Amino acid sequence: MDDIVGDKNAKFKELYNQDGVFLRQAGEMYTPMFGCTGSLYLWEHISDAESKPEVPSRFLEWRPQDFVELKTALDEGSEEWTLIESVKKRCRTSSGNMVKDFLNSIGNLNVCFSNIKSLRCSKHDVLTTFYDGSCELLASFVFPTSESREHFLGTIQAFVRLQPTRRDKSLFIVYDAASPGFKDLEKSFAALDLKTDSSFWSLLKNIKSNPYEKSMEAFAKVTGYVYNSVDDEEHYMAQDDLQRSISEIGDDASAYAVYDIPNCLPMRVDYPRCNPLTREQWRAQLNGEGQLEDVESIKTLIFRGGISPDIRRVVWKFLLGYYPWDSTEKERHALDISKMESYYKIKMQWTTFSKEQEDNFSDFSQRKSLIEKDVNRTDRVLDFYAGENNYNIFSLNNILLTYLLYNFDLGYVQGMSYLLSPIYMLLRCEVEAFWCFVGFMKQVMSNFDYDQNAMKEQLKSMYLLVNFIDPQLSKYFEDHECANMYFCFRWLLVWYKRELQQDEVARLWEVLWTGYPCKNFHLLIGVAILEHERDALMGDNNGFTEILKFINELTGKLDINLMINHAEGIYHQIKDADHLTDAVRNILGIPVAEASGLQSKPEDDRSPRKGVSEPDEIEFEKSIYSNFLSSSTGRLVFLFRP
Amino acid sequence: MASNKKVLLKVIILGDSSVGKTSLMNQYVNRKFSNQYKATIGADFLTKEVTIDDRTVTMQIWDTAGQERFQSLGVAFYRGADCCVLVFDVTAPNTFKSLDSWRDEFLIQAAPREPDNFPFVLLGNKVDLEPRAISAKRAQQWCQSKNSIPYFETSAKEGLNVEQAFLAIAKNALAQQNQTVDLYNEFPDQIKLSNAQRPNNGADACGC
Ligand SMILES: Nc1nc2c(ncn2[C@@H]2O[C@H](COP(=O)(O)OP(=O)(O)O)[C@@H](O)[C@H]2O)c(=O)[nH]1
Ligand SMILES: [Mg+2]
């Protein structure tokens, strides 16, 4: 590859040139240059009568800027370097067709463009990585600005098409005119009504904003990947299209194989958040009796957007079981009265204790003092709970003491005051807050059990989910003594209460209280956060200590709406995954029938989709695959054979 | 002679809920006391650089939730500790009674190599408050019975004795670490060439 431009007379036109491009990684022999900045060029061969056919039509070149640095590295005498030093001088024509004599091109990195079969780039950073047909890394660059990278992507769009893989949105298959399927791709782009010269990301955005109609069509048809959903007609059509296009490609089809790679997740689909449930929407659902007509649709609205603050007071009482969902206005009125009565009955039990009685009841008095100490350090920074002799703190104390007698077996456990605080702050009524707290506690009671088994179980589930969604991250935890996931303890014990502002807590909890879209959705919120922070978590060779600190310091920095959004995307990925395991299914309570696979497959069934390839080739592909998976988070769906 | 090796001392603070563990740690590290600290859930730690006999060491002070049931998760935090600080509230007798079980639990979970010689330090906190339930004498007796544990009476609120207590904690931790680490430290630091020391050959080698 070093000497790909052996022909001195070949003439090249500069298509792209950018200084300040940082080489992050490339083939092993370039190791001494990793971390150097340089100039990145894209050259195009100007063909004329004399040019030899083996001269590549386009190639990338990266030249280190700091030649001195490189020389020093060379003088240290690494053996591999003699190889590079032997690279001959080259002649090229730059854009003006002027022959320029190049210096000894030691260390210049060249990548023949036609070898690039996929590239990885994400909108969030300027790192761009190129891979060849066997998923080996060719080069990985960091562009100086997002504009310069955008320009680069724009430039190459003139002669290739980039198609995001269905399973990993930051990995793109590079199609050039010679690739089978290129024509289909063109057609499909036309069908999407996109201008081919539009900016790269806007192109993607367009696909993303119509997840159902467009992306499925585009991805399934274009990349030939077939969804195996039973109930979706469109996917059957896509399958037909694929077969047709393969037969059209004819002989070339052998060079282009479509695989169902085991343990790949379906592509993440964005489920945009909606506006909160409004008073009007709520009222519209109440019939003459004041009964809710369509509970499921109300819950769906709450799940999708939360509740508008002006009707939270009412709706939370339904979510927390204070009112049954199907109750009438009249029944609710009766409930208000009976709940008040029973609250004061329980409360009376402890308010009437004499000092002597309390002294002889140490189980009670110890817990009482613990409650008092805890309410005195619960949300004191909020105006509502601030200051000496705050009446609201007094109410928290009353409610927790009453709960202590209501459920003496459980007792009072640290963390409970944090679950009560947002509820009382909204309802501002001891009776209502108490019964709503009882409703919430029913859902999370086991978190506070003496043996802590439920917490341990959840931490374990969290690990399994991370492992399913991001095996590289779970492997990292495993290798760094973090597989116990203890750093998520606070998240799970009090449902992220300590990480968020009070209004964010309200939003998250009301979404979680709907019980949609699955059991234990709160775990997926955590998975979304970990995934969102994965690079920081795995940076700097962090161990348990660093990770715990990092997680604890996320307080106040989370975008909870975004995390809910990601968590929902993750849920659908898991649900639709072909390799969904029973363990994961159980955590989220996904019934077997709901899984999208034609039938659930045994876990080690790694056979490819029908009519694709011979078994020995499968082994070969698998081995390449595992390389790819271990070197990056990539979940490539296609393999190109030279 | 001061060594330039980085020393990290891991210290665990244990004691019943609301004896003032979080307040003591914050008073020592940030010289602040606040009535608004939140109850500790899970675990957290703060670090502070201290100079002991010309050596700068980093103390990593671990604070955990005080309620008993959360201790089963402690294993993850106790491991590798160099010193354990036990705290009770001088106005709350129950917190003094729990000391034995805190100590035993720590020794079981952290499983130090020589449990009998593992350094503990006892702090009787909230001495600014009245009425006192546990006298200094009683606390000292307990310390004597446990292989002469050093004892300090502190107030996280007033900042009383906190600095002195943590200095003693650091010294004990360092002594503990030296005992266990000395064996491995007999080799000099590797000599490393920094970039600046590299031979500079011809800045004009670039011929462009
Ligand atoms: N008067 C007084 N109060 C203290 C002292 N140390 C802590 N407190 C208070 O005791 C309560 C519990 O303190 P905290 O540090 O959270 O205890 P932890 O549960 O052991 O971490 C808080 O209300 C503190 O303000 C002290 O030295 N004197
Ligand atoms: Mg604390």
Side-chain angles (χ1 to χ4, degrees):
Chain A
M1 200 214 294
D2 295 301
D3 207 10
I4 58 172
V5 202
D7 180 0
K8 283 189 185 182
N9 297 318
K11 289 172 185 170
F12 287 87
K13 188 172 115 189
E14 180 188 295
L15 297 178
Y16 177 85
N17 169 12
Q18 176 64 49
D19 289 339
V21 178
F22 179 92
L23 177 67
R24 202 176 101 149
Q25 220 185 322
E28 210 175 282
M29 62 175 152
Y30 300 102
T31 310
M33 290 190 295
F34 294 175
C36 294
T37 38
S39 308
L40 184 69
Y41 299 85
L42 177 58
W43 300 102
E44 184 172 56
H45 182 219
I46 304 165
S47 48
D48 53 32
E50 296 159 46
S51 61
K52 298 178 183 171
E54 62 267 25
V55 175
S57 60
R58 283 176 210 97
F59 68 98
L60 279 176
E61 180 187 39
W62 178 85
R63 291 181 213 155
Q65 245 147 20
D66 199 342
F67 194 74
V68 184
E69 213 177 313
L70 191 68
K71 259 318 235 191
T72 319
L74 284 172
D75 289 331
E76 281 174 2
S78 144
E79 268 192 45
E80 296 99 311
W81 282 87
T82 47
L83 214 151
I84 298 171
E85 256 177 317
S86 69
V87 173
K88 286 170 242 156
K89 289 188 180 184
R90 294 162 197 177
C91 302
R92 272 173 223 151
T93 308
S94 62
S95 49
N97 256 4
M98 269 165 51
V99 178
K100 192 177 164 198
D101 216 305
F102 275 95
L103 66 139
N104 183 335
S105 59
I106 290 167
N108 287 8
L109 169 73
N110 294 305
V111 176
C112 183
F113 208 90
S114 59
N115 285 342
I116 299 174
K117 295 302 182 197
S118 62
L119 68 85
R120 175 181 293 283
C121 62
S122 116
K123 203 177 178 175
H124 308 295
D125 57 45
V126 285
L127 177 68
T128 307
T129 306
F130 302 92
Y131 300 96
D132 69 9
S134 42
C135 311
E136 291 292 335
L137 185 145
L138 292 168
S140 180
F141 298 110
V142 178
F143 285 75
T145 57
S146 52
E147 290 74 40
S148 58
R149 207 259 305 268
E150 179 84 0
H151 181 209
F152 176 80
L153 294 171
T155 306
I156 65 172
Q157 298 271 322
F159 48 89
V160 293
R161 288 285 164 272
L162 299 180
Q163 190 61 41
T165 58
R166 184 178 155 240
R167 316 239 157 180
D168 178 353
K169 276 193 276 182
S170 63
L171 184 68
F172 296 84
I173 304 294
V174 179
Y175 290 82
D176 59 27
S179 310
F182 184 74
K183 274 198 202 114
D184 289 342
L185 192 66
E186 289 291 79
K187 262 187 265 165
S188 171
F189 267 67
L192 289 177
D193 199 21
L194 299 168
K195 277 181 255 140
T196 43
D197 62 354
S198 58
S199 127
F200 182 64
W201 298 113
S202 71
L203 208 95
L204 277 185
K205 216 172 112 208
N206 210 317
I207 294 176
K208 215 174 121 193
S209 61
N210 293 290
Y212 298 106
E213 312 119 50
K214 288 185 177 168
S215 65
M216 283 307 121
E217 188 184 357
F219 297 147
K221 274 189 195 168
V222 173
T223 66
Y225 189 82
V226 183
Y227 239 2
N228 60 337
S229 159
V230 212
D231 47 12
D232 199 328
E233 238 177 82
E234 215 187 325
H235 296 147
Y236 272 119
M237 286 161 59
Q239 198 163 5
D240 286 350
D241 275 4
L242 174 74
Q243 261 149 17
R244 208 178 318 121
S245 66
I246 286 181
S247 59
E248 276 166 15
I249 296 164
D251 288 348
D252 281 347
S254 59
Y256 178 63
V258 183
Y259 286 89
D260 173 31
I261 300 309
N263 300 347
C264 281
L265 290 166
M267 196 185 72
R268 179 82 49 91
V269 177
D270 182 42
Y271 293 85
R273 304 290 302 154
C274 300
N275 290 327
L277 174 77
T278 63
R279 186 177 288 275
E280 291 68 40
Q281 285 170 316
W282 175 259
R283 286 224 180 112
Q285 286 292 341
L286 294 172
N287 65 19
E289 305 276 272
Q291 208 171 12
L292 282 172
E293 296 270 278
D294 184 353
V295 176
E296 296 311 301
S297 80
I298 285 286
K299 282 195 191 168
T300 304
L301 285 171
I302 299 171
F303 174 71
R304 297 241 57 86
I307 304 165
S308 163
D310 61 336
I311 46 159
R312 258 197 193 130
R313 278 204 70 198
V314 182
V315 185
W316 275 27
K317 288 195 251 178
F318 285 85
L319 283 169
L320 291 171
Y322 182 95
Y323 296 137
W325 285 101
D326 58 359
S327 59
T328 62
E329 181 87 56
K330 217 167 132 191
E331 286 163 348
R332 290 198 289 273
H333 190 67
L335 274 171
D336 283 336
I337 293 166
S338 69
K339 287 201 181 277
M340 178 150 67
E341 280 170 359
S342 48
Y343 174 74
Y344 285 111
K345 242 184 232 162
I346 310 168
K347 186 176 172 181
M348 188 100 83
Q349 291 168 5
W350 62 266
T351 50
T352 54
F353 277 165
S354 69
K355 171 84 178 70
E356 211 178 357
Q357 211 181 344
E358 237 177 71
D359 288 346
N360 293 332
F361 191 4
S362 63
D363 270 356
F364 173 78
S365 54
Q366 273 174 26
R367 291 170 190 189
K368 182 185 170 190
S369 102
L370 192 55
I371 290 173
E372 193 182 307
K373 281 167 176 155
D374 272 6
V375 294
N376 274 311
R377 41 183 183 170
T378 301
D379 287 333
R380 297 308 292 276
V381 287
L382 300 175
D383 284 347
F384 187 73
Y385 291 119
E388 297 280 296
N389 301 319
N390 185 315
Y391 182 81
N392 298 320
I393 291 290
F394 182 68
S395 297
L396 289 186
N397 195 62
N398 287 346
I399 296 169
L400 290 171
L401 273 172
T402 309
Y403 187 79
L404 176 62
L405 283 169
Y406 174 79
N407 189 351
F408 203 80
D409 280 347
L410 181 63
Y412 171 77
V413 186
Q414 284 193 313
M416 289 186 190
S417 67
Y418 291 100
L419 297 184
L420 173 61
S421 153
I423 294 175
Y424 179 73
M425 190 167 149
L426 178 79
L427 299 172
R428 304 188 181 206
C429 160
E430 256 185 65
V431 179
E432 291 177 355
F434 172 80
W435 290 113
C436 285
F437 177 67
V438 167
F440 191 7
M441 281 304 294
K442 275 191 187 132
Q443 297 183 40
V444 294
M445 190 126 57
S446 60
N447 284 3
F448 300 96
D449 279 348
Y450 195 84
D451 58 18
Q452 288 289 290
N453 282 343
M455 285 302 296
K456 287 173 197 162
E457 195 58 39
Q458 286 186 71
L459 293 168
K460 214 169 94 194
S461 300
M462 192 88 161
Y463 179 83
L464 288 176
L465 292 169
V466 171
N467 182 249
F468 195 78
I469 280 293
D470 190 343
Q472 203 190 4
L473 185 59
S474 69
K475 176 84 171 56
Y476 185 89
F477 290 152
E478 183 87 52
D479 294 345
H480 292 79
E481 300 191 331
C482 293
N484 58 29
M485 308 292 279
Y486 283 160
F487 44 83
C488 302
F489 185 85
R490 191 168 77 191
W491 291 358
L492 304 182
L493 187 78
V494 291
W495 279 21
Y496 310 91
K497 154 69 187 149
R498 291 282 290 268
E499 333 301 316
L500 303 168
Q501 305 290 322
Q502 201 84 326
D503 55 335
E504 297 170 318
V505 171
R507 176 53 38 85
L508 174 65
W509 286 3
E510 63 203 13
V511 167
L512 294 177
W513 287 330
T514 63
Y516 286 10
C518 62
K519 208 170 90 183
N520 284 323
F521 189 59
H522 69 289
L523 296 179
L524 292 181
I525 300 283
V527 173
I529 300 171
L530 292 174
E531 183 201 60
H532 193 68
E533 305 295 340
R534 70 188 300 279
D535 293 344
L537 290 168
M538 295 194 285
D540 298 332
N541 199 28
N542 288 333
F544 179 76
T545 318
E546 291 81 14
I547 289 183
L548 179 91
K549 194 89 200 155
F550 180 83
I551 298 279
N552 280 351
E553 285 174 359
L554 284 178
T555 295
K557 297 180 199 158
L558 297 175
D559 178 346
I560 199 60
N561 279 313
L562 186 69
M563 291 305 110
I564 298 172
N565 168 262
H566 286 188
E568 191 182 1
I570 291 172
Y571 162 70
H572 285 278
Q573 276 185 300
I574 293 177
K575 180 173 68 76
D576 297 337
D578 297 331
H579 62 295
L580 182 56
T581 60
D582 283 344
V584 170
R585 204 195 305 276
N586 287 339
I587 294 170
L588 302 180
I590 299 171
V592 180
E594 212 184 298
S596 76
L598 284 166
Q599 68 273 317
S600 72
K601 293 185 286 182
E603 252 167 72
D604 53 357
D605 176 6
R606 303 190 158 211
S607 57
R609 289 257 169 274
K610 57 180 173 185
V612 176
S613 181
E614 278 92 34
D616 54 335
E617 281 162 326
I618 298 162
E619 286 306 314
F620 165 74
E621 306 291 5
K622 264 193 336 206
S623 69
I624 292 175
Y625 236 107
S626 55
N627 278 342
F628 189 83
L629 288 172
S630 58
S631 67
S632 70
T633 51
R635 291 137 188 156
L636 189 57
V637 186
F638 295 88
L639 289 160
F640 294 81
R641 266 176 263 133
Chain B
M1 183 57 225
S3 154
N4 53 5
K5 210 166 290 137
K6 248 192 123 64
V7 177
L8 182 79
L9 301 176
K10 184 170 176 181
V11 173
I12 316 283
I13 311 188
L14 298 178
D16 279 2
S17 185
S18 89
V19 292
K21 299 180 295 296
T22 304
S23 301
L24 281 163
M25 180 175 81
N26 274 287
Q27 176 61 264
Y28 175 60
V29 175
N30 303 317
R31 291 176 203 286
K32 270 193 301 205
F33 175 81
S34 158
N35 276 317
Q36 293 174 347
Y37 292 130
K38 296 166 174 173
T40 310
I41 295 179
D44 203 355
F45 66 89
L46 290 178
T47 52
K48 183 168 167 121
E49 304 252 304
V50 229
T51 309
I52 305 165
D53 308 332
D54 288 345
R55 284 186 81 175
T56 305
V57 300
T58 306
M59 258 217 273
Q60 190 181 73
I61 307 166
W62 284 79
D63 180 25
T64 57
Q67 216 168 353
E68 228 182 314
R69 69 192 67 200
F70 296 127
Q71 291 311 310
S72 57
L73 301 163
V75 209
F77 315 117
Y78 295 177
R79 209 167 283 143
D82 299 302
C83 181
C84 175
V85 183
L86 300 172
V87 187
F88 72 100
D89 175 347
V90 295
T91 67
N94 285 327
T95 66
F96 182 73
K97 281 184 210 137
S98 327
L99 290 175
D100 275 311
S101 70
W102 281 114
R103 184 176 170 276
D104 294 346
E105 187 71 4
F106 175 82
L107 288 175
I108 293 167
Q109 299 215 14
R113 234 178 282 171
E114 291 177 86
D116 292 337
N117 295 323
F118 188 86
F120 285 90
V121 172
L122 180 67
L123 308 184
N125 190 38
K126 305 199 190 179
V127 290
D128 59 291
L129 286 185
E130 291 289 339
R132 247 185 106 127
I134 305 294
S135 68
K137 200 172 151 213
R138 205 167 147 205
Q140 265 152 0
Q141 269 166 6
W142 185 83
C143 288
Q144 284 308 318
S145 73
K146 300 284 182 264
N147 225 346
S148 302
I149 294 177
Y151 174 59
F152 291 86
E153 303 220 313
T154 58
S155 163
K157 187 174 179 182
E158 321 264 88
L160 198 81
N161 242 350
V162 175
E163 188 76 34
Q164 291 88 325
F166 275 92
L167 193 66
I169 292 162
K171 280 185 178 170
N172 276 287
L174 189 63
Q176 161 76 6
Q177 202 176 63
N178 285 342
Q179 237 176 36
T180 42
V181 179
D182 263 359
L183 267 173
Y184 309 96
N185 275 353
E186 280 165 11
F187 305 97
D189 280 1
Q190 273 192 334
I191 299 154
K192 286 173 201 134
L193 268 183
S194 74
N195 282 353
Q197 288 167 306
R198 246 190 240 157
N200 183 1
N201 43 356
D204 52 358
C206 173
C208 14

